């Protein structure tokens, strides 16, 4: 996406590297085939053609998965260039990275717990946490939004947002799938699905309940606040910089299955974008957060819903306290958590 290009490609260029950019999503958008194997082959041919036309390179940095290429691509250029695949979805390791990762010189991962996944298939890996580009995320001259959340209505997020709104917290909400529509599908989920629940097997009952609950929560949310829709990248940057407090919910489950007992807490892109925009980060607590920021002084985290509600109320109405934390978080992010920092560390480690 453009936001990743602006973060990573621009950071590499600003470090003085000569970078040849291939935006494979634009190539795939013009591939007239739904056959996954054929799409992989065509993309691999396109990447190899571009590689040979523009070589030599010191590094090939990719953001590819098993859904886009096969090991063939990396085998073809082995010993011609040092290959690095940047990854951020290790909770979907089995379907995204398991096949290609052993064939790369290095795989980066964003959460410490993910190292064992690469080790399990004999793949070399390196911890490269998320960051943000200071030329993209900048403070705003005015902050007219008390609290905002920008993101998909994913996992348990609808429940957390509903609890905040139910508790009277003033919140601006943006992103995909939040808007409730009075259509036939939602009618079925609210009125018919509960009836089907009684005739379902044990395995499907919880799945039905989860979908029913999600739809009802979205209906409640739409009645409590105006959903702002999906912002452009530029609008997204503007929203968080105008927010006194910005929320984040990095919680995820293996394979995106919210009935899976394995809960993953780490730090995602927002945990760095928000402080660099001089907005106060209010995010779910994780051990990894302590590697990057000082809790209560540079960012604020919450451990459960009541903790979240109390802190959202306090910091959205106590601007002096929230601005002090936002300023400290901004200074730390600008000093240590930019993509320039990350790539300088990565290349230094490789050269060793």
């Amino acid at each position: 996406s453009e936001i990743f290009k602006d973060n990573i490609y621009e950071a590499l260029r600003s470090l003085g590297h000569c970078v040849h950019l291939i935006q494979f999503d634009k190539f795939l958008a013009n591939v007239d085939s739904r056959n996954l194997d054929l799409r992989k082959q065509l993309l691999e041919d396109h990447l190899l053609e571009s590689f040979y036309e523009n070589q030599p390179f010191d590094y090939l940095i990719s953001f590819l998965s098993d859904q886009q290429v096969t090991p063939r691509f990396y085998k073809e250029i082995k010993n011609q260039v040092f290959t690095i695949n940047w990854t951020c979805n290790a909770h979907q390791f089995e379907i995204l990275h398991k096949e290609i990762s052993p064939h790369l010189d290095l795989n980066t991962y964003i959460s410490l717990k993910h190292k064992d996944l690469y080790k399990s298939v004999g793949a070399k890996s390196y911890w490269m946490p998320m960051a943000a580009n200071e030329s993209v995320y900048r403070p705003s001259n005015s902050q007219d939004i008390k609290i905002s959340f920008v993101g998909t209505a994913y996992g348990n997020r609808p429940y957390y947002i509903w609890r905040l709104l139910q508790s009277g917290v003033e919140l601006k909400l943006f992103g995909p799938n939040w808007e409730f529509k009075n259509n036939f599908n939602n009618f079925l989920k609210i009125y018919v699905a509960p009836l089907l629940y009684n005739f379902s097997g044990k395995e499907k009952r919880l799945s039905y309940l989860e979908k029913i609950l999600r739809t009802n929560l979205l209906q409640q949310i739409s009645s409590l606040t105006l959903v702002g829709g999906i912002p452009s990248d530029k609008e997204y940057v503007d929203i968080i910089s105008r927010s006194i407090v910005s929320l984040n919910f990095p919680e995820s489950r293996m394979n995106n299955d919210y009935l899976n007992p394995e809960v993953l807490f780490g730090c995602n892109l927002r945990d760095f974008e928000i402080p660099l925009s001089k907005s106060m980060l209010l995010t779910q607590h994780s051990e990894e957060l302590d590697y990057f920021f000082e809790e209560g002084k540079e960012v604020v985290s919450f451990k459960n819903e009541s903790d979240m509600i109390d802190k959202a109320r306090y910091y959205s109405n106590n601007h002096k306290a929230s601005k002090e934390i936002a300023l400290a978080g901004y200074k730390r992010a600008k000093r240590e958590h930019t993509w320039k920092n990350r790539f300088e560390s990565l290349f230094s480690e490789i050269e060793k």
Side-chain angles (χ1 to χ4, degrees):
S1 70
E2 290 300 310
I3 200 78
F4 273 99
K5 180 183 77 69
D6 291 342
N7 267 286
I8 294 173
Y9 170 66
E10 297 301 338
L12 286 167
R13 290 185 64 195
S14 67
L15 284 169
H17 297 287
C18 178
V19 188
H20 177 71
L21 176 66
I22 308 172
Q23 289 184 267
F24 65 84
D25 59 323
K26 293 184 176 179
F27 172 79
L28 288 174
N30 295 314
V31 173
D32 187 23
S33 175
R34 294 186 179 181
N35 183 299
L36 184 59
D37 290 336
L38 177 59
R39 288 174 66 85
K40 287 182 183 181
Q41 182 182 332
L42 291 171
L43 178 59
E44 288 172 2
D45 291 342
H46 171 68
L47 295 173
L48 289 169
E49 180 183 355
S50 185
F51 174 80
Y52 288 124
E53 281 182 2
N54 296 280
Q55 68 174 334
F57 296 106
D58 297 309
Y59 300 101
L60 185 141
I61 302 176
S62 54
F63 184 25
L64 293 165
S65 75
D66 296 342
Q67 301 298 306
Q68 287 131 2
V69 296
T70 68
R72 169 205 167 213
F73 170 62
Y74 294 105
K75 287 178 181 179
E76 175 81 19
I77 56 177
K78 190 175 178 63
N79 301 323
Q80 298 183 59
V81 65
F82 192 95
T83 54
I84 305 165
N85 199 42
W86 186 83
T87 70
C88 62
N89 289 306
H91 59 287
Q92 295 175 285
F93 179 80
E94 292 288 325
I95 63 171
L96 293 182
H97 307 301
K98 189 174 183 178
E99 188 178 357
I100 63 171
S101 59
H103 303 279
L104 280 126
D105 291 309
L106 197 65
N107 300 269
T108 72
Y109 57 92
I110 65 167
S111 186
L112 284 170
K113 291 183 179 179
H114 298 155
K115 183 174 180 64
D116 290 341
L117 295 171
Y118 293 96
K119 189 176 180 180
S120 70
V121 295
K124 292 182 180 178
S125 62
Y126 172 82
W127 182 40
M128 186 173 173
M130 286 288 198
N133 188 340
E134 67 271 33
S135 67
V136 177
Y137 304 94
R138 296 174 180 174
S140 173
N141 292 325
S142 64
Q143 290 184 314
D144 57 335
I145 301 173
K146 275 193 170 185
I147 304 182
S148 70
F149 176 69
V150 187
T152 307
Y154 161 81
N156 287 335
R157 290 173 180 176
Y159 177 75
Y160 289 124
I161 294 295
W162 172 68
R163 288 289 288 118
L164 283 165
L165 293 170
Q166 185 193 44
S167 302
V169 173
E170 186 181 324
L171 172 69
K172 299 283 187 182
L173 182 62
F174 305 85
N177 305 325
W178 288 102
E179 189 178 356
F180 178 83
K181 296 178 181 177
N182 287 306
N183 55 29
F184 185 64
N185 283 337
N186 283 333
F187 175 84
L188 292 176
K189 287 176 184 176
I190 291 175
Y191 298 106
V192 179
L195 300 175
L196 295 175
Y197 166 81
N198 296 310
F199 301 98
S200 305
K202 289 181 180 179
E203 296 80 10
K204 287 192 174 182
R205 284 189 177 186
L206 285 176
S207 179
Y208 269 125
L209 282 176
E210 199 266 341
K211 289 176 183 176
I212 294 165
L213 175 62
R214 179 187 298 274
T215 306
N216 277 277
L217 287 173
L218 291 175
Q219 187 181 37
Q220 290 292 315
I221 289 167
S222 292
S223 70
L224 292 169
T225 190
L226 208 61
V227 179
I230 305 171
S232 66
D233 290 341
K234 185 178 180 180
E235 288 168 338
Y236 166 64
V237 171
D238 181 59
I239 291 164
I240 58 175
S241 67
R242 287 168 49 209
S243 301
I244 295 167
V245 176
S246 294
L247 281 166
N248 191 24
F249 305 99
E251 173 186 346
S252 63
R253 296 291 205 284
M254 292 301 290
N255 298 322
N256 286 333
D257 175 13
Y258 262 71
L259 297 179
N260 190 308
E262 190 174 350
V263 187
L264 303 174
F265 291 100
C267 290
N268 63 17
L269 199 55
R270 289 184 201 85
D271 288 315
F272 303 99
E273 294 171 324
I274 291 167
L276 201 54
S277 302
K278 210 183 276 189
S279 174
M280 195 202 88
L281 172 66
L282 179 59
T283 187
Q284 285 175 303
H285 176 77
S286 72
E287 292 179 5
E288 283 187 15
L289 190 65
D290 294 334
Y291 280 93
F292 309 115
F293 297 103
E294 189 172 351
E295 160 64 27
K297 292 187 176 180
E298 297 171 332
V299 299
V300 177
S301 67
F302 57 89
K303 294 184 178 180
N304 52 52
E305 64 184 78
S306 58
D307 191 27
M308 171 190 68
I309 293 166
D310 289 344
K311 287 174 177 175
R313 278 178 177 158
Y314 175 77
Y315 286 106
S316 64
N317 291 302
N318 191 331
H319 296 184
K320 185 175 183 295
S322 57
K323 286 187 176 183
E324 284 178 2
I325 293 170
L327 177 60
Y330 169 73
K331 289 178 178 179
R332 181 77 179 271
K334 194 168 184 179
R335 186 172 67 247
E336 298 179 18
H337 304 312
T338 66
W339 285 114
K340 288 182 183 179
N341 299 140
R342 299 289 189 254
F343 278 109
E344 285 177 331
S345 298
L346 171 67
F347 294 139
S348 176
E349 184 67 21
I350 292 170
E351 287 166 8
K352 286 180 185 177

